Amino acid sequence: MSLHADALATLRAWQAPSAPQEALRQRYVAHLEAEPSGVFKSCVPDHLTASCLVLSEDGSAVLLTHHRKARRWFQFGGHLEPGDETLWAAAARELREESGVPDLAPLPGPVQLSEHAVPFCAPSGDVHHLDVRFLAIAPAGAVPEVSEESLDVRWWPVDAIPDPEDDLIELIKLAPARL
């Protein structure tokens, strides 16, 4: 199965937790049905990305990266690559590359979808990431490392994250339902 086929099957089967999430799910499916290359960065103005929120083992802290280009704190994630076989595999790869925590892997199945503009991704400035978000639980004592894509990687209390955006706050709130 191709990455495109996996993404389409995953999103068709996903049970959205709310009406706004269902509207996004339908938008992502329509995008993939219309765009055979819709999973790759070369598809402009919209393309899928995969990301992963990391919670501490007890759920009290979240591991975030201070993104070098965006200069904001985010969950780990990024563009899908031709070698990725599934959305989950892309999220797992990005998670390992950006967190420096070996053997850390997302739980199966998406948790949230988030469409957001990323003007720094193309000269036109008219680019949207259609992000598919997963969840991972870090083992006790996990020590992150800063990658070249980040300015910093750090644990934050779930109720005191920097740069709080509504969709990241929603993602953190959705996480316990997946545990």
Side-chain angles (χ1 to χ4, degrees):
M1 178 181 295
S2 70
L3 177 56
H4 182 275
D6 170 77
L8 193 52
T10 297
L11 291 165
R12 282 178 173 157
W14 185 62
Q15 297 294 310
S18 66
Q21 286 289 290
E22 175 59 20
L24 278 176
R25 187 194 71 78
Q26 290 176 18
R27 176 176 166 11
Y28 286 28
V29 167
H31 168 73
L32 290 173
E33 289 173 343
E35 295 288 346
S37 66
V39 294
F40 296 117
K41 184 179 181 178
S42 59
C43 185
V44 175
D46 303 326
H47 53 265
L48 264 61
T49 56
S51 68
C52 190
L53 178 73
V54 178
L55 286 179
S56 61
E57 195 172 44
D58 67 0
S60 67
V62 60
L63 186 62
L64 298 175
T65 179
H66 194 225
H67 194 273
R68 186 171 297 280
K69 288 182 181 177
R71 306 270 184 205
R72 297 209 48 177
W73 290 93
F74 294 113
Q75 73 282 355
F76 302 96
H79 292 105
L80 309 180
E81 296 179 1
D84 297 326
E85 294 183 7
T86 65
L87 280 172
W88 182 90
R93 176 186 49 74
E94 289 286 342
L95 177 57
R96 287 189 301 275
E97 288 175 1
E98 294 181 3
S99 74
V101 179
D103 303 322
L104 190 55
L107 298 174
V111 175
Q112 182 195 47
L113 306 178
S114 175
E115 178 181 358
H116 49 277
V118 282
F120 56 83
C121 271
S124 71
D126 183 26
V127 175
H128 290 91
H129 283 172
L130 306 180
D131 198 31
V132 180
R133 295 175 168 183
F134 293 82
L135 171 68
I137 306 301
V143 179
E145 294 180 10
V146 178
S147 76
E148 63 185 38
E149 295 181 34
S150 303
L151 297 170
D152 195 5
V153 175
R154 170 182 327 174
W155 287 103
W156 294 89
V158 295
D159 59 354
I161 61 170
D163 303 328
E165 291 190 3
D166 290 343
D167 59 344
L168 182 56
I169 292 169
E170 179 187 344
L171 177 60
I172 291 169
K173 288 179 181 176
L174 289 169
R178 291 294 314 278
L179 303 179

